[in-house]
Amino acid sequence: MDIVFLNNSKSLRGLSIKNYSSNPGIGGTEYVTLKIIYELNKLSEKLKIRFATEQKVISKEIKIITRKEKIENSILVLPISQINYLNTLNIKNCRIILWSHHPHDSINHLKHKYKEVISLGEYQYASNKNISNKSFIIQNPYPKPIPKKELLRANFSTPKNFVFLGAIGPAKGLHLVLENWPKIRRKFKNSNLRVIGGNLYREKEKSGINLLNFSISYEKVIERKLNKMSIEDKDSISFLGLISESEKDKVLKDSDIALLNPTGKSEAAPASPLECYCYGIPVIAGGDFGAFDNMKKFPELDLKINKLDTIIDFLIDEKNYKLIKKRTYEFALESYKKNNSIYSAWIKLFNNNLEKPNIKLPSVIYKKIKFREIYYRFIKYPFKKLRRF
């Protein structure tokens, strides 16, 4: 069975197809693509896995093909963002499976009806119902938790080291995290915030802030937030940029609480909280959009349910903090056990025997999805098109 994954993102340039333990500092879609290709190739000899890209991707086991080569009688798997790249390829008699990595992808693709679409989580699946009548959920594989003996700060009673992990841009909400940092620091005395991440998609504009490679417009937003802080609060923040896996491992082992996307916007199945759970790090974030799937497990820390002050008061309590720290690590252990069934779901999909999901979300989530569909389709996106002229 010939399977071809497609991705022509420039962030792939120079990378290898291998079993990454964590995101090597590229977009989540690209990271997951490389990991799944590697695992599926290892799992089944019946699958002939290939990777279509124009980037210089390194692999000994997987054949890399470009637009110069003909792709025939194959199953093509491509992120929705790669449809334009698909149109440049020479394909014939192929089965096309779209792989959605964003909520509300259906708003941008109503003119196209595709036979098969994969979503990553329940919110996203419900929001993408208009793309296809044949939709499935296949979760991204879960990261491997660190050994329990390496949870260095498991008995630390008062949180001190905070971390932000993710792409640096408006969608992930770092500016909102910084806006609330002085309030958090007033309660957690002498605490610090380490920011891991940069512009994962390598924008052309360059920044001067610790080589984070922000877009220039977003850099100005960040600078305004920093300039409003006291010297002490500002000095307590370290921008680490895109660091190596070993460096990130050290930071996360020494972190107590993660401050992630406060709104959930743009999230389909965010990997950052899952990575933090592997270190027993409780995550404060907004349980909306695709982040709802994660944060529903930890409603006490959900900014869409609770005020920040309420969450802070909850975590200051030593008993509460220790218990939720234990829960996050146990959740990571249980989630990691699902990986074999996730890879098996891919094979079932290729063999046309993957069952459609039966999901039941809270009524408030369905109402949000319906409202957003109307807003995006008739207000936001039409207005964006007008602004281009």
Side-chain angles (χ1 to χ4, degrees), residues 183-197:
K183 178 189 290 188
I184 294 171
R185 200 162 179 272
R186 280 197 296 273
K187 291 292 184 76
F188 296 98
K189 303 296 183 183
N190 300 316
S191 56
N192 61 76
L193 171 63
R194 289 169 289 187
V195 178
I196 300 174

Side-chain angles (χ1 to χ4, degrees), residues 348-362:
K348 288 179 181 179
L349 175 67
F350 298 148
N351 289 318
N352 288 306
N353 58 12
L354 180 63
E355 295 182 3
K356 293 187 69 174
N358 181 21
I359 69 168
K360 189 174 182 180
L361 297 171

